[in-house]
Structure formats: C-alpha cells, structure tokens
Amino acid sequence: MKFELPKLNYSYDELEPNIDAKTMEIHHSKHHNGYTNNLNNAIEGTDLAGKTIEEICKSENLPAAVRNNGGGYYNHCLFWEILSPNGGGNPNGAIGEAITNEYGSFENFKNEFSKAAATRFGSGWAWLCVSDGKLSICSTANQDNPLMEGGCGEVPILAIDVWEHAYYLNYQNRRPDYINAFFNVINWDKVNELYTQAL
Ligand code: MN3
C-alpha cells in the first residue's frame, strides 16, 4: 500500500487572501506530491513498507531520505487538515478551555505560537502538541516533527509550515504577516477533534 497525496477539503483559491491560490497549488501538487513519491520510493522493499506514517516517523535511525520525505508527507497532511476557508476566530470547546488554562488567554497563546514560528531559523515548522491533556508549543527544523527522534514525543494537533515555499510568493520576507494570516484560516473544530482524540 503506497502513500497517496491527500485531496484537500477546499479548492486552492478558497484560503485567499490569507494564503494565495498559486502558493496552495504549488505547495500541494508539487511539494507535497514530491514528498509522497519520494517517501514511497525510499521505503520500497524495506521493513518500513506497510507501516503507518506515524509508525515510520517514530522509528529510530531513519535514513535521511525517509526522515525528510516521511516528515514532509506527515507534516503537510496535518497542515491541510487544520486549515479551512471557514476557519479563524477563537477556539471553542475543549481545546479553547485547554488553551485558556495553559496560556492564560487566546491572545497569549497566539503570541507564543507566533513567536515559535517566527523564530524558527531557516526552514521548518511550529507545533502545538498535547500529552496527558497538557498543551505545549515547539518548533522543528526542515521536515522533522515532534514524533521523530529528537522531537518532543507528544501528539501534534496544530502545525504551521514556515518554509519559504509556504508563503514567499505572496509575503516574500514577511513571515510574521503570513503567520498572522494563518490564524484567519485555522480550522479550530478540527484541532479540537485532534485534541480530544489525543486525550
Ligand atoms: Mn511545505
């Protein structure tokens, strides 16, 4: 069973003006598609074939091609899922309560998450993770993620891609503006679902 590029729940232009259609098209159909194909090639005939992407990410001593492309596959699958044209606003439900409990207020959470995303040097990701109901924010380099060796080991429920390919066409060097716009398209219902599943 090969990994497949997931279909999006929205069209490429529906996240505008926060994320532009051209960026979405290239990001999904070229970048994510490339990670998917390269992951399939890298695991073919190895004992990683047949494992879930989570199991692969958690495996020790991953070859670089599997780590980079497996991370690229997993990270973007989560990223597309937690975006929505009807997203944004303040989170409700269990995740809303957990954020307020952990960070004092949604604004404070937004500041801390944005700081993690803005200060990740070079290419990488920022994450909101959960472990035993407790939330934490971290960032990783390249296509690494929290499940991998060296990661925090917690379950990711929110992710932002801060590779330049995620924003450069529209925002050029203005990563903070992209991070701010990302908050307008977060699908908090989905994040809440992932949070409650991880409890
Ligand atoms: Mn990307």
Side-chain angles (χ1 to χ4, degrees), residues 106-185:
F106 178 66
E107 276 311 302
N108 203 37
F109 161 76
K110 184 179 173 182
N111 288 339
E112 290 203 26
F113 185 87
S114 298
K115 194 168 103 187
T119 57
R120 164 49 56 186
F121 185 76
S123 298
W125 293 74
W127 308 89
L128 177 65
C129 296
V130 59
S131 176
D132 295 328
K134 196 171 151 46
L135 298 173
S136 65
I137 292 168
C138 67
S139 76
T140 54
N142 305 315
Q143 294 296 357
D144 290 355
N145 65 46
L147 303 176
M148 290 177 169
E149 260 185 313
C152 68
E154 300 176 3
V155 180
I157 58 172
L158 177 67
I160 181 171
D161 186 344
V162 294
W163 282 57
E164 284 188 343
H165 70 224
Y167 62 87
Y168 206 85
L169 287 181
N170 195 33
Y171 295 97
Q172 293 85 47
N173 61 320
R174 293 174 285 117
R175 190 193 284 187
D177 290 352
Y178 157 69
I179 296 167
N180 210 41
F182 165 79
F183 272 86
N184 296 329
V185 287

